[in-house]
Amino acid sequence: MRRHELSDAEWEFVRPLLPVSLRGRKRLDDRRVLNGIVWKFRTGVAWRDVPERYGSWATLHTRFRRWARDGTFERMLRSAQAKADAAGDIDWLVSGDSTVVRAHQHAAGARKGGHRSPALGRSRGGLTSKIHLACDGSGRPLAFTLTGGNTNDCTQFTAVMEAIRVPRIGPGRPRVRPAHVLGDKGYSSKAIRAWLRRRGIGHTIPERADQVRNRARRGSRGGRPPRFDKDLYKQRNIVERCFNRLKQWRGIATRYDKTAESYQAAVTLASLLMRA
């Protein structure tokens, strides 16, 4: 095993999750291809610069694009989550947050609309994307959305929560409800708190200073302050550690992909291997 390749344990973890290849002409071995894809995103190099030991860069790119488009990476992650949940290996104390990713100039220029939309935002720092993510209590991603870097965090909260769908092994609906949600002040809004209460989801989200002042100014009409557990909130930093692990992949820490579809597939692949 070379640096940045799948270990034997990681390969044994993902091998049964890969789609079964159809009979036909001989094609490049899946482990070799997946090693090349993982090597590319862990190092952040261009597709043309992936070493020839992984096969033709065009073959790697084609296989990656096919798996991204047909949802292979997403199905693999869902399957891994289902197995983990069945084994009691998912901590349903969920933390949510976002991280901004600088986009390279190569990421610009894609056609807009649908999955091919670039999902880029422009700010003082240039082109950026933002990963809005929810992780479990062990710091492993459960679901995420991708937007431009100038998108407000609170606008994506419900989308991320609704993207949590861990299938059951056997009969039964997917699990979609966290036991408890931790979030920072960016998620402190009446709409978010009401959404969580309607679904019976406990939450620990601190109020913003302006909200505290407004409630105090209104006196008894301002209502009671939301319940806040300081000790439980200390565990929210698990999502920061999750982002740190994701950004060890240089192809994720800096976005080079033109399409949101490809970049989302790369983040999904990294999320999958964080469960290995």
Side-chain angles (χ1 to χ4, degrees):
M1 188 192 80
R2 294 182 173 89
R3 179 173 164 81
H4 301 308
E5 292 184 354
L6 295 172
S7 66
D8 289 340
E10 288 174 330
W11 169 244
E12 288 303 316
F13 176 76
V14 302
R15 181 178 57 81
L17 305 177
L18 284 166
V20 178
S21 59
L22 300 176
R23 292 184 178 181
R25 65 180 181 177
K26 186 177 180 181
R27 68 178 203 159
L28 202 60
D29 174 72
D30 278 340
R31 182 170 186 177
R32 188 177 173 189
V33 170
L34 199 55
N35 271 333
I37 293 172
V38 169
W39 195 93
K40 179 259 188 293
F41 284 104
R42 278 181 170 164
T43 60
V45 302
W47 284 104
R48 292 176 183 271
D49 296 328
V50 176
E52 293 182 0
R53 63 176 176 266
Y54 301 117
S56 165
W57 70 267
T59 299
L60 301 182
H61 181 257
T62 299
R63 192 83 58 89
F64 171 75
R65 291 289 296 147
R66 182 188 306 136
W67 285 344
R69 286 172 177 167
D70 67 13
T72 291
F73 294 117
E74 180 68 22
R75 286 193 297 272
M76 291 170 69
L77 179 59
R78 294 295 189 206
S79 179
Q81 290 175 342
K83 291 181 179 180
D85 190 43
D89 195 30
I90 292 182
D91 183 342
W92 285 95
L93 175 64
V94 172
S95 297
D97 206 348
S98 70
T99 187
V100 174
V101 176
R102 179 68 61 85
H104 192 270
Q105 60 185 0
H106 292 168
R111 292 181 299 177
K112 296 182 179 180
H115 288 295
R116 296 187 64 82
S117 173
L120 294 172
R122 188 175 293 277
S123 60
R124 293 180 64 184
L127 292 175
T128 54
S129 290
K130 184 179 280 190
I131 302 172
H132 306 261
L133 179 143
C135 72
D136 68 5
S138 299
R140 293 172 296 190
L142 287 171
F144 68 92
T145 61
L146 184 67
T147 69
N150 54 353
T151 302
N152 193 292
D153 289 0
C154 66
T155 64
Q156 290 295 303
F157 179 84
T158 56
V160 174
M161 291 295 125
E162 289 173 347
I164 299 176
R165 297 185 64 83
V166 177
R168 310 278 188 180
I169 294 181
R173 296 179 180 179
R175 175 156 184 178
V176 299
R177 184 184 300 174
H180 199 90
V181 171
L182 305 178
D184 64 14
K185 293 180 180 180
Y187 300 109
S188 180
S189 75
K190 290 183 178 179
I192 288 176
R193 295 183 193 276
W195 186 90
L196 290 167
R197 283 195 298 269
R198 284 197 302 270
R199 286 156 180 79
I201 302 173
H203 58 279
T204 301
I205 301 174
E207 282 188 297
R208 299 194 310 269
D210 63 313
Q211 293 174 331
V212 174
R213 289 195 300 269
N214 290 338
R215 183 167 41 76
R217 178 175 52 82
R218 297 183 64 188
S220 59
R221 293 179 301 163
R224 296 179 179 180
R227 184 178 179 182
F228 182 74
D229 188 327
K230 290 184 178 180
D231 291 330
L232 189 60
Y233 187 69
K234 292 177 182 178
Q235 298 185 49
R236 198 197 67 82
N237 64 27
I238 192 70
V239 71
E240 304 295 344
R241 299 203 296 271
C242 176
F243 282 132
N244 288 340
R245 291 179 64 192
L246 273 177
K247 287 189 173 182
Q248 289 176 13
W249 293 54
R250 294 188 177 188
I252 292 176
T254 301
R255 176 180 164 176
Y256 299 94
D257 301 275
K258 286 186 181 297
T259 67
E261 183 181 62
S262 290
Y263 187 68
Q264 184 156 338
V267 178
T268 303
L269 175 60
S271 300
L272 170 67
L273 292 178
M274 286 173 65
R275 293 204 158 269

